[in-house]
Amino acid sequence: MIFGFVFLGLGILGIILPLLPTTPFLLLASGCFVRGSEKFEAWFKGTKIYKDHLEEFVRNRAMTLRQKIIINLFADSMIAIPFILSDSTIVRIVLLLIVIYKYYYFIYRIKTVKGAKLSSE
């Protein structure tokens, strides 16, 4: 439950800060609430934040191009830190494979829709 609220807070920050992705944090919050309590799961799914930023993704597995770009840039910047700091070739190769898979997944497995089709970005 605590992690659910932490991820919810980060998701709310993502609404305000354009470089912080909203959707992944709200997905993590939703997962934590599902595992933690039916009461909190129902509460979270009834919030405006869930309905505006997550419901459409959960229902249709689709994102706007803007959402995909922001999430990938944020993830790339987080992956770049250990890539730069690591001296291990194996670690760097694994990180590159993760980045390649991440782009494959976002391009081919998650539909891209126009912003107007989503309730909100």
Side-chain angles (χ1 to χ4, degrees):
M1 294 304 304
I2 292 170
F3 284 118
F5 285 106
V6 168
F7 292 130
L8 176 60
L10 290 171
I12 291 170
L13 279 176
I15 295 168
I16 299 165
L17 302 171
L19 292 178
L20 194 64
T22 303
T23 306
F25 289 125
L26 293 180
L27 281 171
L28 287 169
S30 181
C32 290
F33 288 138
V34 165
R35 289 180 175 257
S37 161
E38 289 180 21
K39 178 182 171 184
F40 279 110
E41 175 190 6
W43 166 79
F44 180 62
K45 288 183 176 179
T47 64
K48 184 172 174 29
I49 292 170
Y50 178 85
K51 291 178 187 215
D52 287 350
H53 297 279
L54 202 58
E55 188 172 54
E56 191 71 26
F57 175 77
V58 171
R59 184 178 23 240
N60 298 323
R61 293 200 41 88
M63 293 179 155
T64 64
L65 183 59
R66 180 177 184 271
Q67 287 174 319
K68 286 183 172 186
I69 289 170
I70 290 172
I71 289 169
N72 277 299
L73 288 176
F74 181 77
D76 288 343
S77 65
M78 293 296 108
I79 292 171
I81 294 168
F83 185 86
I84 292 167
L85 296 176
S86 176
D87 292 332
S88 171
T89 304
I90 293 173
V91 170
R92 287 183 168 185
I93 290 171
V94 168
L95 291 171
L96 285 174
L97 290 174
I98 290 170
V99 169
I100 290 167
Y101 180 76
K102 177 179 63 71
Y103 277 100
Y104 160 78
Y105 192 83
F106 272 81
I107 292 169
Y108 296 107
R109 306 287 287 180
I110 298 175
K111 293 183 279 187
T112 303
V113 295
K114 294 191 185 288
K117 288 187 180 180
L118 293 176
S119 328
S120 172
E121 289 190 58

